């Protein structure tokens, strides 16, 4: 039943990858914590590592099928991508050493703070007027944001979209463009984080013999999530749904709230 459930959740990661730029991280972490609850406190460490591998594949595939006219907005962002990757390597390494409870509560706390920020600070929920859109063209994300975004995202086992999507939106992009751009940025974060996780020392699995680890990655869970997610990405990229910008932004906030709740519930059950 765990495999069937993971494939089902994989379908959801495909949807969130395309619609919200999550790459699967925010959905995968609480789900793998639940699936690998037999590992006890180490379940969170395995979940963040597994999430990184899932995001590499999902975000890479989503980027490959994104129209070039959208990705052109990242032209000249080489410095940002390099700093995202460097920060991610440091964050993933720190996550291997940090207490699992610290990573869990940092995950929940960061999502909660992000929700509050999106609700209270102007520039995310309210779409730009036509006059504002004509007055200012969308801006690139500052390269200096790369290192902290990469470090925090890799430490928590997420792809950074919870930071890059709001930043891109406030830089003048629509939700459709901001979420599409989040995938290549997520790839820059997830790739070094996955390498660090795969090369990490495997954990003993006597408490949960069904878990098969490569380094810190639960390869079975990752495979099931990808089986469910990749076909959905292919379909939605070819036929993306038309969602009004205001509703799109509200749905993004709502999904973050569900993710935080799922992490709290999975923690109580573990």
């Amino acid at each position: 039943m765990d495999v069937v459930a993971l494939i089902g959740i994989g379908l959801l990661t495909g949807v969130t990858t395309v619609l919200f730029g999550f790459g699967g991280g925010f959905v995968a972490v609480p789900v793998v914590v639940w699936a690998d609850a037999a590992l006890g406190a180490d379940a969170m460490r395995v979940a963040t590592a597994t999430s990184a591998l899932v995001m590499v594949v999902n975000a890479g595939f989503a980027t490959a099928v994104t129209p070039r006219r959208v990705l052109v907005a990242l032209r000249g962002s080489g410095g940002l991508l390099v700093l995202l990757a460097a920060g991610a390597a440091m964050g993933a390494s720190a996550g291997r050493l940090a207490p699992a409870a610290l990573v869990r509560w940092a995950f929940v706390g960061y999502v909660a703070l992000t929700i509050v920020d999106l609700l209270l600070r102007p520039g995310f929920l309210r779409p730009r007027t036509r006059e504002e859109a004509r007055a200012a063209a969308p801006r690139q994300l500052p390269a200096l944001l790369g290192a902290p975004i990469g470090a925090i995202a890799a430490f928590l086992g997420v792809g950074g979209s919870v930071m890059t999507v709001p930043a891109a939106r406030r830089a003048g992009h629509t939700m459709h463009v901001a979420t599409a751009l989040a995938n290549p940025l997520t790839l820059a974060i997830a790739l070094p984080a996955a390498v660090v996780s795969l090369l990490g020392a495997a954990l003993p699995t006597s408490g949960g013999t069904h878990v098969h680890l490569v380094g810190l990655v639960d390869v079975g869970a990752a495979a099931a999530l990808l089986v469910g997610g990749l076909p959905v990405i292919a379909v939605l990229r070819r036929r993306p749904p038309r969602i009004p910008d205001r509703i799109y932004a509200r749905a993004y906030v709502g999904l973050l709230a569900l993710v935080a709740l799922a992490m709290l519930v999975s923690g109580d059950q573990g």
Side-chain angles (χ1 to χ4, degrees):
M1 284 301 295
D2 282 0
V3 173
V4 174
L6 286 168
I7 292 175
I9 295 299
L11 297 174
L12 180 58
T13 68
V15 173
T16 60
T17 297
V18 175
L19 296 187
F20 301 102
F22 282 173
F26 273 105
V27 179
V29 169
V31 171
V32 177
V33 167
W34 162 76
D36 291 348
L39 294 176
D42 288 325
M44 183 65 190
R45 190 171 289 110
V46 170
T48 57
T50 304
S51 167
L53 181 60
V54 170
M55 286 187 295
V56 167
V57 181
N58 277 348
F61 183 54
T63 300
V65 296
T66 297
R68 302 301 101 180
R69 66 180 183 277
V70 175
L71 295 178
V72 74
L74 289 178
R75 182 176 296 168
S77 298
L80 173 64
L81 296 174
V82 169
L83 289 176
L84 283 171
M90 293 185 291
S93 299
R96 289 174 54 192
L97 302 175
L102 172 62
V103 179
R104 178 191 299 276
W105 287 109
F107 183 105
V108 174
Y110 188 82
V111 174
L113 288 174
T114 299
I115 293 171
V116 172
D117 175 72
L118 297 182
L119 291 175
L120 299 183
R121 194 155 64 100
F124 185 83
L125 288 177
R126 183 182 68 85
R128 296 192 303 165
T129 65
R130 293 181 180 178
E131 291 74 16
E132 291 172 334
R134 286 194 295 265
R139 306 178 303 278
Q140 288 188 341
L141 298 181
L144 290 179
L145 291 178
I149 288 177
I152 294 171
F155 181 81
L156 300 180
V158 299
S161 59
V162 73
M163 291 168 268
T164 59
V165 170
R169 177 124 168 107
R170 290 184 171 120
H173 294 288
T174 65
M175 282 296 296
H176 288 276
V177 173
T179 52
L181 295 180
N183 283 306
L185 298 177
T186 290
L187 183 58
I189 294 170
L191 187 56
V195 171
V196 169
S197 299
L198 287 168
L199 296 179
L203 298 169
T205 57
S206 57
T209 56
H210 70 289
V211 182
H212 302 287
L213 301 180
V214 175
L216 296 176
V217 176
D218 182 344
V219 290
L225 289 168
L226 292 171
V227 166
L230 291 177
V232 176
I233 295 173
V235 171
L236 290 182
R237 270 286 181 253
R238 292 186 64 182
R239 298 182 179 180
R242 297 181 179 179
I243 305 174
D245 198 67
R246 186 186 295 271
I247 295 176
Y248 207 157
R250 291 175 177 175
Y252 183 92
V253 177
L255 182 58
L256 288 182
L258 287 176
V259 167
L261 179 60
M263 179 58 78
L264 289 172
V265 171
S266 66
D268 291 340
Q269 292 178 344

